[in-house]
Amino acid sequence: MIKKALSTFALLLFLTGLSYGQVGITSVPFLQIEPDSRAAGMGNTGVAIADNASAVFWNPAGLAFQKGNQINFTHSEWLPQFNADLFYDYLVGKYHMEGIGTFGGHVTFLNLGEQLRTDETGLEQGRFNSYELAAGLSYGLKLNENWSLGTGFRFIYSSLADGRISQQRINPGSSVGVDLSAMYKSNNFEFIGNNANINAGLNISNIGPGVNYTDNAQKDPLPTIFRIGWAFNTDLDEDGIHKLTIANDISKVMARLDSDGDPKGVISSIFSSWGRFTRNTGTGEVTLSLPEQLMYAVGTEYWYNDLFAVRGGYYYEDPNNGDRQYMTLGAGIRYKFVGVDFSYINTLGDENHPLANTTRFGLLLNF
C-alpha cells in the first residue's frame, strides 16, 4: 500500500533539485532550501551577510550585530516546471531586547500536495496530504565589536505517507537540529577613497539525530550543512548613496554512510566527511574528491540610497554531486518600514531542469 507512495516521495525529493546525490543519503532535504528572496537573488550567498531576520537560516551569529524588530515572509511556487501544486513558505522574525541581544524565530513549510493511497494490489484507498515542517529559535551573542557567536534550535516534522509496509506502521518522522555559527565584521577602512568593510562567517546547521518513518533501525541522517564565506561591502561615493556588496559562500553536506551503507553518527560524520567520498549514482559508483563535494556560490548586490537594489549571482555543483548550475537575478525595494524582494533562477545546460524559472517573493516589515 505504501511502497508506491514512498517511491513517489523519493521522486519528489529528487525533483526539488536540492542535490540529487545527497538526497539518497539524507532525510528532510527541504531544510537545504535557501529561504529568502534577497540571498536567492545573490546566487544563494548569505553566511557572511546575515544582516536581517533571515540570519536565522544563514548564520545566527549575524543576529548579534542587529537591532530593531523585523518580520520576513517568503513564498515560492516550488518546481513550476512540473505543475505539481507544490509550494514553499518561510516565515522568520527577529526581536531585539536591550541589554540582552537579538533573538530570531522561524517556521518553514513545504507542501508536497495531495497523494493517492493504494493497497498492495494497486486498488485505490483514498487520498492524503503530505508536507514537511520545521520551527525553531536562534540567538546571537556579541563578543566584541568585531566577533560574535550564534546558535539555533529547530523541531523538524516530516509527514510523507501513512499506512503499513511489510507489517510496519508508516509514521511521520521527526527530529531536532542545532546550529553553531560564528561571524567576523571588520572595522571600516578606506577603499578607493570610500568606506568599506569585510565580513566572514561560518555556520554548521542541522546537527541532530536522524529521522525514521518505520523503526529506529532505519534512521536517515539530517542534512547537516557546513557553510563558510566572506562578503566585501563598499560605498561607491562619498555620501554612501551608491553601495556594492560582493559575496562568496562555499558549503557541503556532512552526512556519511559506513561500509555497510548505514548512516554514521552525526558527530562522526562532521569529522569524517572531509575525505574522498564514493556513492552510487544509479548508473554506477563515482568517487568524489573534496572539491567535487563542495557547493559554490557567488553574488553581488547594488543599492541606491537604501531604497532600491539589483542583484545577481551564480551557483555551481559538480555534475556527479547534485548538478545544480544556474544564474540568479533579483531586485528589492525598501520604503519606510516595508520591503519587497524578488528572485529568479535561470538554469544552465538543461532547459527542463526542475528548478528552471523558479521565483521567490519576499515581504519584509520593520517595526
Side-chain angles (χ1 to χ4, degrees):
M1 177 170 76
I2 292 303
K3 289 182 179 178
K4 183 176 180 181
L6 291 178
S7 297
T8 300
F9 287 114
L11 176 61
L12 285 171
L13 293 178
F14 166 80
L15 291 178
T16 60
L18 291 175
S19 172
Y20 103 91
Q22 293 131 18
V23 164
I25 297 175
T26 68
S27 58
V28 291
F30 82 104
L31 295 178
Q32 294 177 246
I33 298 177
E34 299 83 1
D36 65 312
S37 304
R38 179 191 177 194
M42 298 175 65
N44 294 330
T45 57
V47 70
I49 299 174
D51 59 2
N52 59 20
S54 292
V56 166
F57 175 88
W58 294 104
N59 187 344
L63 292 170
F65 294 102
Q66 301 181 41
K67 293 187 177 182
N69 308 316
Q70 184 183 93
I71 293 176
N72 193 334
F73 176 73
T74 300
H75 174 78
S76 177
E77 297 296 329
W78 203 242
L79 308 181
Q81 290 285 88
F82 295 91
N83 194 27
D85 194 29
L86 310 182
F87 65 84
Y88 173 87
D89 288 335
Y90 183 75
L91 176 66
V92 64
K94 67 173 184 178
Y95 182 78
H96 179 73
M97 299 181 67
E98 194 65 36
I100 298 176
T102 302
F103 294 84
H106 77 94
V107 177
T108 307
F109 181 78
L110 176 64
N111 175 57
L112 292 169
E114 187 179 62
Q115 310 300 326
L116 176 67
R117 181 190 291 111
T118 64
D119 62 20
E120 294 182 351
T121 66
L123 183 65
E124 293 186 11
Q125 300 290 317
R127 294 180 176 272
F128 60 95
N129 294 311
S130 302
Y131 62 92
E132 295 186 299
L133 172 74
L137 298 172
S138 300
Y139 173 71
L141 173 65
K142 191 174 182 180
L143 301 179
N144 54 41
E145 292 304 309
N146 302 109
W147 289 93
S148 67
L149 299 176
T151 188
F153 173 88
R154 64 180 49 83
F155 172 75
I156 304 154
Y157 185 84
S158 176
S159 179
L160 298 184
D162 60 10
R164 292 184 179 273
I165 179 172
S166 300
Q167 305 305 313
Q168 295 188 69
R169 177 72 183 177
I170 304 298
N171 297 307
S174 63
S175 185
V176 293
V178 174
D179 302 343
L180 299 174
S181 64
M183 191 168 190
Y184 168 78
K185 296 175 72 74
S186 77
N187 295 325
N188 286 343
F189 57 88
E190 187 174 300
F191 178 75
I192 315 180
N194 299 310
N195 285 329
N197 75 297
I198 294 176
N199 301 346
L202 179 150
N203 186 21
I204 303 177
S205 59
N206 304 318
I207 304 169
V211 176
N212 68 290
Y213 298 94
T214 54
D215 57 58
N216 290 332
Q218 298 180 7
K219 285 189 175 182
D220 293 320
L222 297 182
T224 303
I225 306 294
F226 174 88
R227 182 176 280 110
I228 192 170
W230 59 268
F232 172 71
N233 311 287
T234 183
D235 294 342
L236 299 178
D237 65 333
E238 293 183 358
D239 298 324
I241 294 177
H242 304 277
K243 299 179 180 179
L244 179 70
T245 295
I246 300 172
N248 170 220
D249 280 17
I250 299 175
S251 56
K252 75 182 299 292
V253 176
M254 305 185 78
R256 282 293 180 268
L257 304 179
D258 61 24
S259 58
D260 296 325
D262 297 321
K264 289 186 177 182
V266 60
I267 302 301
S268 174
S269 294
I270 289 175
F271 290 99
S272 66
S273 62
W274 300 96
R276 299 177 70 85
F277 174 51
T278 300
R279 70 170 191 80
N280 195 322
T281 65
T283 58
E285 290 190 342
V286 174
T287 299
L288 302 173
S289 64
L290 178 58
E292 292 172 323
Q293 298 172 40
L294 301 178
M295 298 168 275
Y296 304 89
V298 294
T300 186
E301 176 183 62
Y302 163 78
W303 276 100
Y304 172 74
N305 204 28
D306 293 328
L307 294 175
F308 176 75
V310 291
R311 306 175 181 117
Y314 173 70
Y315 188 91
Y316 174 83
E317 288 175 339
D318 186 89
N320 290 316
N321 194 47
D323 198 24
R324 288 187 294 171
Q325 301 179 44
Y326 50 77
M327 304 290 292
T328 66
L329 298 172
I333 297 175
R334 302 288 185 269
Y335 182 71
K336 295 185 178 180
F337 64 92
V338 179
V340 177
D341 291 309
F342 165 81
S343 67
Y344 173 81
I345 289 178
N346 179 30
T347 53
L348 303 177
D350 183 2
E351 294 181 356
N352 296 316
H353 191 283
L355 288 177
N357 304 317
T358 296
T359 58
R360 291 181 178 91
F361 293 91
L363 174 65
L364 181 151
L365 300 175
N366 292 295
F367 56 94

